[in-house]
């Protein structure tokens, strides 16, 4: 449980950090909160020779609003997300989700950028970002590019992020005022990854669903945007038969691993239960 | 008397003696991070040891090449079994009469088994060097399922035992068989079953789990080559036993070995045995002449260092139609892993599992335990229970519920009908124990009244009907558990460890100014001995607990004792403390008589001193007497005021309790919520009610964890799964239910202060309470028995199998 030998860098600007990464290629890894990377290094499942700590880059922190978009700096901690009045007002599902991540000590250190960039299927924020149709700003030697969260994840720990790039911020379109939302997470205990979790954002016009977005956590080797489930629900009155079809559609795209949380069959079913329960809560909130 | 003279009550309160909720004195340092644990000990020139471990569960080791590792700057040595053979320590004896490899000698028997020991200047270099040791393995067929251990074609795990038909506990009937242990009357039991109106039979498994103390096992060995003295600091629940074992194995004379157990961060049975890390550190220090530290990490601890349980118990009960039990038959298949390293008293290969008749008056019973080898880590320690007692309690408490179901009786009523009656104590059980005291009926009725048992049953019935009507997806269970523990090992007539009788000891010295230092053969790992031992002495000799220092764990200063585990400290050392105190009080009485110029028979004890009968003004306090003991003792009397007592208990003690658990289970997710948990404990005389409550809370939390998900799992090729706190279930405050505690007091008649011990009762009684609640919830759907652990997916699976998902 001791990492191998590595060189530690602590740059003070994004440009400097990108230059170090570009210089060392695959041998370097950026470090944000470290809650995924450091345990893997302790187990020697990851052995980067250069660790580039982004903690000294002030520009990577903060939450701001620009028109219909909220931008969150990658090094913003879960704790800071929870404490943000802006997010509580405009994107309350972020606070709800962040409160289900690990425990307070971890949330003081763990960051949104690290959570979404690492490609760990157990992390909660990637599915939420897919649900919200967020984009990630990736900064490399040639400048910035944006990749949609829904297109970012390729496989477990494999993403669209190039070795010399840093995920610097997350841009989230602000959902309509009065939208309903819920993040339902089934876990064995505090600090555990989800057995299955579902994020839902929807709007209601009278008794009819205006839009509905569904995404799933930890039931495949990437987060899953359940577009078909969302489409089935959009325009419906959330009658039992439609909900059942949507749940089945969500379950159909899962490919969970069998592990200590349960066999694959169970985790697929739990994804469905989480969708059903998140939907009920989100609809309740949208009406109120 | 003027107003300033304290009243008798004030003097009593000032002592903070037995019965006082005295705050734990050790917590002052623990809560400020000022404890002194093994890893806090740093010696000049100290080196660090760490293990190369096997990735395979069963394999030949064909080659170990340390060339590259030794090239790494800072690496001092790499020890293998071949090196240890030079000092005859490649294998070591286990407490259970088996032998165990210290380092892989030609093969490995479980994943993460110790293969080589790297010694380096710091632990970082040691870990780097581990990666550089090249080991060649040749994989062998893996045996994981104990039910297949004795198949004719099962792989041979222990070629070293080839042809050995006699084991430490009798004949071996297969190459993977360790022992058969039989107790009770087979023929009489067979007759009871033949004549029975009703019988039940169920295979009840108690899965493999782990004590998982927060501080892992660790030690520092320091050999002084000039003086020939070896000092070992370690996480030892039984430091004196470690000293004796170290002397026998190393041939260093015992007086030249100093064993020090400093503060210990939890033990729960994990720190009783001797592990390869200790042996390797000692050998490496003997070889190098410098101190060697070995510290286990979490995964090493969970995957290799003494698991608990893995008992597969087939229970059969015979009964009359009215519910009266007439016979009990139990067969246990015990999975011991690759070596039999159970930490039981020597003559008890299955511990005190023959307490399996529980709290019930079985006229006859028969028990047979078969121990077998598998490709899993060795252990089988008593995880917060007396030896194999929690297994026994789980077996009988599940069995009684299953019988109640078959008879259509309420499980609480069935228990009450069969309880050993108060007038039957001391009670001879069918499997050989003499229960010292008990009043089960009073405890059970108090518990049922407090929790509102009949009302809960009515609510459950209504909920079941609502479930059937489709109005709720939640089912409700009420878990009943009435356990009898057997603790305080133990009487020399039947308990020893490696031949040393399981007595315990106390030494008390009263200083001239009336303060005290006392030392015991026990060793607290969090139980609060520094607090409670002082309370016993305070009450016995009238000196305030605040003026009494308690010291344990240094074998040079403490009298020889067998250590702390199996809830033995209060029943055994607690008695020694009381008796040593009484020796002091007897001498104090003679000194007081001399001071007051009366006969000692004219004196009577009064809280904190002696007074002349009928003339309470003429009195001498213990403080005055202590001064006199050193200043002007009576002519002819030795000066000083101190005593030692070694206590060989005449019998075990038998704490008991009534536990109730109310649980609601969501059948769609399998998530179980504990709505209420009520625990009534009778541990005899209560020394510190606050510490008892803390012990009960801790033990119940462990019981909750074990029943509801805590498990060491293996896959089919022997990979240990989930050996980290990500997967291994340690509940946080969020998951842990609220505990309601209660008590009755039935003192032990044979213990000097009537105390029985409590630390392990909540684990023993708690596991069946949780499991019975789960099983009770599913019963109306047609279920008889659902195996532990009851984690969410398994309960969901149970609901699905019972058709609850439509």
């Amino acid at each position: 449980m001791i990492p191998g030998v590595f060189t530690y860098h602590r740059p003070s600007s994004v440009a400097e950090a990108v230059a170090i990464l570009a210089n060392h290629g695959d041998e370097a890894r950026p470090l944000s909160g470290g809650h995924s990377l450091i345990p893997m290094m302790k187990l020697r499942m990851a052995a980067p020779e250069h660790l580039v700590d982004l903690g000294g880059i002030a520009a990577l922190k903060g939450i701001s609003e620009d028109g219909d978009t909220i931008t969150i700096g990658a090094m913003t901690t879960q704790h800071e997300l929870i404490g943000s009045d802006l997010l509580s007002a405009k994107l309350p599902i972020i606070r709800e989700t962040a409160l289900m991540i690990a425990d307070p000590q971890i949330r003081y250190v763990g960051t949104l950028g690290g959570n979404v960039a690492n490609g760990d299927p157990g992390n909660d924020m990637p599915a939420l970002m897919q649900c919200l149709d967020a984009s990630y700003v990736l900064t490399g030697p040639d400048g910035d590019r944006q990749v949609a969260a829904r297109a970012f994840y390729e496989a477990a720990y494999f993403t669209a992020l190039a070795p010399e790039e840093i995920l610097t911020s997350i841009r989230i379109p602000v959902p309509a005022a009065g939208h309903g939302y819920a993040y339902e997470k089934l876990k064995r205990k505090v600090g555990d990854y989800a057995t299955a979790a579902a994020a839902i954002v929807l709007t209601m016009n009278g008794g009819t669903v205006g839009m509905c977005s569904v995404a799933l956590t930890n039931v495949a080797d990437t987060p899953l945007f359940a577009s078909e489930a969302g489409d089935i629900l959009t325009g419906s009155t959330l009658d039992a038969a439609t909900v059942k079809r949507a749940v089945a559609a969500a379950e159909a795209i899962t490919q969970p691993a069998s592990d200590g949380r349960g066999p694959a069959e169970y985790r697929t079913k739990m994804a469905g239960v989480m969708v059903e329960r998140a939907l009920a809560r989100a609809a309740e909130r949208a009406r109120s | 008397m003027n107003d300033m003279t304290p009243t008798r009550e004030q003097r009593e309160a000032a002592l903070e003696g037995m019965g006082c909720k005295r705050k734990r004195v050790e917590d002052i340092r623990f809560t400020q991070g000022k404890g002194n644990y093994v890893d806090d000990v740093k010696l000049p020139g100290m080196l660090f040891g760490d293990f190369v471990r096997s990735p395979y569960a069963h394999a030949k080791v064909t080659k170990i090449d340390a060339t590259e590792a030794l090239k790494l700057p800072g690496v001092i040595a790499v020890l293998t079994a071949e090196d240890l053979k030079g000092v005859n320590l490649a294998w070591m004896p286990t407490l259970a009469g088996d032998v165990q490899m210290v380092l892989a000698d030609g093969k490995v028997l479980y994943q993460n088994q110790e293969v080589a020991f790297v010694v380096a200047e710091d632990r970082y270099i040691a870990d780097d060097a581990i990666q550089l040791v090249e080991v060649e393995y040749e994989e062998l067929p893996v045996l994981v399922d104990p039910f297949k251990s004795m198949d004719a074609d099962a792989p041979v795990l222990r070629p070293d035992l080839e042809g050995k038909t006699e084991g430490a506990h009798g004949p071996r009937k297969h190459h993977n068989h360790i022992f058969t242990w039989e107790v009770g009357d087979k023929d009489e039991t067979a007759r009871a079953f033949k004549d029975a109106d009703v019988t039940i039979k169920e295979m009840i498994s108690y899965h493999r789990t782990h004590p998982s103390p927060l501080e892992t096992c660790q030690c520092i060995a320091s050999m002084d080559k000039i003086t020939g003295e070896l000092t070992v600091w370690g996480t030892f629940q039984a430091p004196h036993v470690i000293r004796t074992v170290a002397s026998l194995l190393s041939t260093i004379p015992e007086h030249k070995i100093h064993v020090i157990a400093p503060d210990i961060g939890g033990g729960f049975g994990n720190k009783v045995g001797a592990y390869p890390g200790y042996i390797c550190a000692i050998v490496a220090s003997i070889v190098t002449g410098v101190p060697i530290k070995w510290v286990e990490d979490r995964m090493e601890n969970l995957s290799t260092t003494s698991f608990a349980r893995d008992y597969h118990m087939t229970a059969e009960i015979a009964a009359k139609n009215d519910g009266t039990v007439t016979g009990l038959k139990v067969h246990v298949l015990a999975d011991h892993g690759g070596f039999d390293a159970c930490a039981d008293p020597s003559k008890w290969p299955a511990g005190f599992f023959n307490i399996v008749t529980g709290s019930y008056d079985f006229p006859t019973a028969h028990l047979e335990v078969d121990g077998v080898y598998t490709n899993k880590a060795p252990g089988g320690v008593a995880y917060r229970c007396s030896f194999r007692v929690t297994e026994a309690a789980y077996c009988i408490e599940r069995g009684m519920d299953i019988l109640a179901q078959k008879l259509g009786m309420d499980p609480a009523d069935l228990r009450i009908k069969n309880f050993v009656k108060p007038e039957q104590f001391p009670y001879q059980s069918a499997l050989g124990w003499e229960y010292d005291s008990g009043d089960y009926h009073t405890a059970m009725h108090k518990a049922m009244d407090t929790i509102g048992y009949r009302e809960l049953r009515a609510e459950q019935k209504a909920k079941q009907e609502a479930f059937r009507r489709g109005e709720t997806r939640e089912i409700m269970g009420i878990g009943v558990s009435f356990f009898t523990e057997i603790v305080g090992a133990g009487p020399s007539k039947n308990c020893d460890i490696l031949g040393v009788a399981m007595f315990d000891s106390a030494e008390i010295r009263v200083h001239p100014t009336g303060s005290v230092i006392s030392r015991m053969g026990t060793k607290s790992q969090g139980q609060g001995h520094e607090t409670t031992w002082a309370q016993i002495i305070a009450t016995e000799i009238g000196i305030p607990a605040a003026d009494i220092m308690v010291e344990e764990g240094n074998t040079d200063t403490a009298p020889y004792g067998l250590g702390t585990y199996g809830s033995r400290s209060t029943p055994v050392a607690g008695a020694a403390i009381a008796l040593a105190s009484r020796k002091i009080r007897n001498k104090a009485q003679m000194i007081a008589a001399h001071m007051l110029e009366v006969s000692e028979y004219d004196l009577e004890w009064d809280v904190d001193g002696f007074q002349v009968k009928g003339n309470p003004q003429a009195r001498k306090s213990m403080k005055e007497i202590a001064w006199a003991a050193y200043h002007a003792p009576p002519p002819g009397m030795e000066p000083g005021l101190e005593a030692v007592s070694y206590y060989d208990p005449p019998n075990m003690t038998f704490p008991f309790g009534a536990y109730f658990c109310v649980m609601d289970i969501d059948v769609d997710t399998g998530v179980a919520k504990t709505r209420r948990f009520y625990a009534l404990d009778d541990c005899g005389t209560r020394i510190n009610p606050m510490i008892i409550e803390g012990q009960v809370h801790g033990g119940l939390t462990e019981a909750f964890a074990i029943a509801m998900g805590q498990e060491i799992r293996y896959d089919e090729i022997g990979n240990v799964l989930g050996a980290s706190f990500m997967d291994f279930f340690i509940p946080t405050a969020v998951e842990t239910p609220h505990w309601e505690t209660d008590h009755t007091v039935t003192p032990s008649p044979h213990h000097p202060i009537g105390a029985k011990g409590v630390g392990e009762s909540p684990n023993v009684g708690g596991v069946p309470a949780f499991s019975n609640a789960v099983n009770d919830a599913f019963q109306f759907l047609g279920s008889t028995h659902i195996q532990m652990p009851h984690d969410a997916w398994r309960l969901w699976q149970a609901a699905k199998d019972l058709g609850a998902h439509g």
Side-chain angles (χ1 to χ4, degrees), chain B residues 476-492:
Chain B
M476 173 180 169
I478 303 162
V480 183
S481 164
F482 197 101
F483 65 93
T484 294
E485 261 257 72
I486 171 170
V487 305
S492 58

PDB file of all heavy atoms in Angstrom, chain B residues 476-492:
ATOM      1  N   MET B 476     -42.022  -6.757   7.529  1.00  0.00           N
ATOM      2  CA  MET B 476     -41.534  -6.452   8.878  1.00  0.00           C
ATOM      3  C   MET B 476     -41.101  -7.739   9.582  1.00  0.00           C
ATOM      4  O   MET B 476     -41.800  -8.745   9.516  1.00  0.00           O
ATOM      5  CB  MET B 476     -42.675  -5.790   9.657  1.00  0.00           C
ATOM      6  CG  MET B 476     -42.407  -5.561  11.121  1.00  0.00           C
ATOM      7  SD  MET B 476     -43.867  -4.773  11.880  1.00  0.00           S
ATOM      8  CE  MET B 476     -43.441  -4.925  13.620  1.00  0.00           C
ATOM      9  N   GLY B 477     -39.947  -7.680  10.239  1.00  0.00           N
ATOM     10  CA  GLY B 477     -39.475  -8.842  10.989  1.00  0.00           C
ATOM     11  C   GLY B 477     -39.185  -8.484  12.430  1.00  0.00           C
ATOM     12  O   GLY B 477     -38.756  -7.367  12.728  1.00  0.00           O
ATOM     13  N   ILE B 478     -39.437  -9.442  13.312  1.00  0.00           N
ATOM     14  CA  ILE B 478     -39.119  -9.257  14.734  1.00  0.00           C
ATOM     15  C   ILE B 478     -38.140 -10.367  15.106  1.00  0.00           C
ATOM     16  O   ILE B 478     -38.478 -11.547  15.060  1.00  0.00           O
ATOM     17  CB  ILE B 478     -40.376  -9.342  15.612  1.00  0.00           C
ATOM     18  CG1 ILE B 478     -41.409  -8.300  15.150  1.00  0.00           C
ATOM     19  CG2 ILE B 478     -40.019  -9.126  17.078  1.00  0.00           C
ATOM     20  CD1 ILE B 478     -42.815  -8.590  15.641  1.00  0.00           C
ATOM     21  N   GLY B 479     -36.932  -9.978  15.431  1.00  0.00           N
ATOM     22  CA  GLY B 479     -35.903 -10.961  15.772  1.00  0.00           C
ATOM     23  C   GLY B 479     -35.824 -11.158  17.263  1.00  0.00           C
ATOM     24  O   GLY B 479     -35.682 -10.199  18.019  1.00  0.00           O
ATOM     25  N   VAL B 480     -35.924 -12.416  17.674  1.00  0.00           N
ATOM     26  CA  VAL B 480     -35.820 -12.755  19.091  1.00  0.00           C
ATOM     27  C   VAL B 480     -34.519 -13.522  19.280  1.00  0.00           C
ATOM     28  O   VAL B 480     -34.215 -14.431  18.507  1.00  0.00           O
ATOM     29  CB  VAL B 480     -36.989 -13.663  19.526  1.00  0.00           C
ATOM     30  CG1 VAL B 480     -36.922 -13.953  21.024  1.00  0.00           C
ATOM     31  CG2 VAL B 480     -38.326 -13.041  19.150  1.00  0.00           C
ATOM     32  N   SER B 481     -33.760 -13.144  20.279  1.00  0.00           N
ATOM     33  CA  SER B 481     -32.532 -13.877  20.581  1.00  0.00           C
ATOM     34  C   SER B 481     -32.366 -13.922  22.088  1.00  0.00           C
ATOM     35  O   SER B 481     -32.398 -12.889  22.752  1.00  0.00           O
ATOM     36  CB  SER B 481     -31.333 -13.163  19.925  1.00  0.00           C
ATOM     37  OG  SER B 481     -30.118 -13.616  20.470  1.00  0.00           O
ATOM     38  N   PHE B 482     -32.224 -15.120  22.606  1.00  0.00           N
ATOM     39  CA  PHE B 482     -31.929 -15.255  24.038  1.00  0.00           C
ATOM     40  C   PHE B 482     -30.694 -16.131  24.157  1.00  0.00           C
ATOM     41  O   PHE B 482     -30.734 -17.333  23.923  1.00  0.00           O
ATOM     42  CB  PHE B 482     -33.098 -15.870  24.808  1.00  0.00           C
ATOM     43  CG  PHE B 482     -32.961 -15.623  26.286  1.00  0.00           C
ATOM     44  CD1 PHE B 482     -33.679 -14.616  26.906  1.00  0.00           C
ATOM     45  CD2 PHE B 482     -32.050 -16.350  27.041  1.00  0.00           C
ATOM     46  CE1 PHE B 482     -33.509 -14.346  28.270  1.00  0.00           C
ATOM     47  CE2 PHE B 482     -31.857 -16.076  28.394  1.00  0.00           C
ATOM     48  CZ  PHE B 482     -32.605 -15.081  29.000  1.00  0.00           C
ATOM     49  N   PHE B 483     -29.582 -15.493  24.500  1.00  0.00           N
ATOM     50  CA  PHE B 483     -28.319 -16.227  24.463  1.00  0.00           C
ATOM     51  C   PHE B 483     -27.794 -16.509  25.861  1.00  0.00           C
ATOM     52  O   PHE B 483     -28.074 -15.759  26.807  1.00  0.00           O
ATOM     53  CB  PHE B 483     -27.261 -15.430  23.687  1.00  0.00           C
ATOM     54  CG  PHE B 483     -26.903 -14.134  24.369  1.00  0.00           C
ATOM     55  CD1 PHE B 483     -25.828 -14.065  25.239  1.00  0.00           C
ATOM     56  CD2 PHE B 483     -27.667 -13.001  24.173  1.00  0.00           C
ATOM     57  CE1 PHE B 483     -25.520 -12.881  25.895  1.00  0.00           C
ATOM     58  CE2 PHE B 483     -27.358 -11.815  24.826  1.00  0.00           C
ATOM     59  CZ  PHE B 483     -26.290 -11.757  25.691  1.00  0.00           C
ATOM     60  N   THR B 484     -27.033 -17.585  25.967  1.00  0.00           N
ATOM     61  CA  THR B 484     -26.217 -17.836  27.152  1.00  0.00           C
ATOM     62  C   THR B 484     -24.782 -17.931  26.684  1.00  0.00           C
ATOM     63  O   THR B 484     -24.451 -18.708  25.796  1.00  0.00           O
ATOM     64  CB  THR B 484     -26.645 -19.135  27.860  1.00  0.00           C
ATOM     65  OG1 THR B 484     -27.959 -18.945  28.384  1.00  0.00           O
ATOM     66  CG2 THR B 484     -25.704 -19.464  29.003  1.00  0.00           C
ATOM     67  N   GLU B 485     -23.943 -17.096  27.264  1.00  0.00           N
ATOM     68  CA  GLU B 485     -22.520 -17.064  26.940  1.00  0.00           C
ATOM     69  C   GLU B 485     -21.773 -17.971  27.896  1.00  0.00           C
ATOM     70  O   GLU B 485     -22.268 -18.286  28.990  1.00  0.00           O
ATOM     71  CB  GLU B 485     -22.010 -15.636  27.171  1.00  0.00           C
ATOM     72  CG  GLU B 485     -21.892 -14.797  25.918  1.00  0.00           C
ATOM     73  CD  GLU B 485     -20.455 -14.684  25.485  1.00  0.00           C
ATOM     74  OE1 GLU B 485     -19.905 -15.682  24.996  1.00  0.00           O
ATOM     75  OE2 GLU B 485     -19.887 -13.596  25.617  1.00  0.00           O
ATOM     76  N   ILE B 486     -20.570 -18.363  27.494  1.00  0.00           N
ATOM     77  CA  ILE B 486     -19.678 -19.064  28.421  1.00  0.00           C
ATOM     78  C   ILE B 486     -18.335 -18.372  28.318  1.00  0.00           C
ATOM     79  O   ILE B 486     -17.697 -18.401  27.271  1.00  0.00           O
ATOM     80  CB  ILE B 486     -19.603 -20.574  28.122  1.00  0.00           C
ATOM     81  CG1 ILE B 486     -18.495 -21.205  28.963  1.00  0.00           C
ATOM     82  CG2 ILE B 486     -19.408 -20.861  26.634  1.00  0.00           C
ATOM     83  CD1 ILE B 486     -18.491 -22.702  28.915  1.00  0.00           C
ATOM     84  N   VAL B 487     -17.946 -17.686  29.368  1.00  0.00           N
ATOM     85  CA  VAL B 487     -16.726 -16.887  29.310  1.00  0.00           C
ATOM     86  C   VAL B 487     -15.883 -17.122  30.558  1.00  0.00           C
ATOM     87  O   VAL B 487     -16.305 -17.798  31.498  1.00  0.00           O
ATOM     88  CB  VAL B 487     -17.047 -15.377  29.151  1.00  0.00           C
ATOM     89  CG1 VAL B 487     -17.931 -15.143  27.951  1.00  0.00           C
ATOM     90  CG2 VAL B 487     -17.686 -14.801  30.407  1.00  0.00           C
ATOM     91  N   GLY B 488     -14.700 -16.516  30.548  1.00  0.00           N
ATOM     92  CA  GLY B 488     -13.832 -16.619  31.712  1.00  0.00           C
ATOM     93  C   GLY B 488     -12.946 -17.848  31.670  1.00  0.00           C
ATOM     94  O   GLY B 488     -12.758 -18.540  32.662  1.00  0.00           O
ATOM     95  N   ALA B 489     -12.368 -18.124  30.514  1.00  0.00           N
ATOM     96  CA  ALA B 489     -11.447 -19.259  30.407  1.00  0.00           C
ATOM     97  C   ALA B 489     -10.141 -18.918  31.111  1.00  0.00           C
ATOM     98  O   ALA B 489      -9.613 -17.825  30.908  1.00  0.00           O
ATOM     99  CB  ALA B 489     -11.171 -19.590  28.939  1.00  0.00           C
ATOM    100  N   GLY B 490      -9.713 -19.836  31.876  1.00  0.00           N
ATOM    101  CA  GLY B 490     -10.605 -20.857  32.388  1.00  0.00           C
ATOM    102  C   GLY B 490      -9.956 -21.707  33.436  1.00  0.00           C
ATOM    103  O   GLY B 490      -8.759 -21.620  33.686  1.00  0.00           O
ATOM    104  N   PRO B 491     -10.766 -22.521  34.052  1.00  0.00           N
ATOM    105  CA  PRO B 491     -10.285 -23.405  35.114  1.00  0.00           C
ATOM    106  C   PRO B 491      -9.138 -24.283  34.628  1.00  0.00           C
ATOM    107  O   PRO B 491      -9.203 -24.821  33.526  1.00  0.00           O
ATOM    108  CB  PRO B 491     -11.526 -24.254  35.424  1.00  0.00           C
ATOM    109  CG  PRO B 491     -12.686 -23.439  34.950  1.00  0.00           C
ATOM    110  CD  PRO B 491     -12.192 -22.658  33.780  1.00  0.00           C
ATOM    111  N   SER B 492      -8.104 -24.424  35.451  1.00  0.00           N
ATOM    112  CA  SER B 492      -6.916 -25.189  35.003  1.00  0.00           C
ATOM    113  C   SER B 492      -7.276 -26.632  34.725  1.00  0.00           C
ATOM    114  O   SER B 492      -6.593 -27.298  33.960  1.00  0.00           O
ATOM    115  CB  SER B 492      -5.808 -25.095  36.047  1.00  0.00           C
ATOM    116  OG  SER B 492      -6.279 -25.595  37.283  1.00  0.00           O
TER     117      SER B 492
END
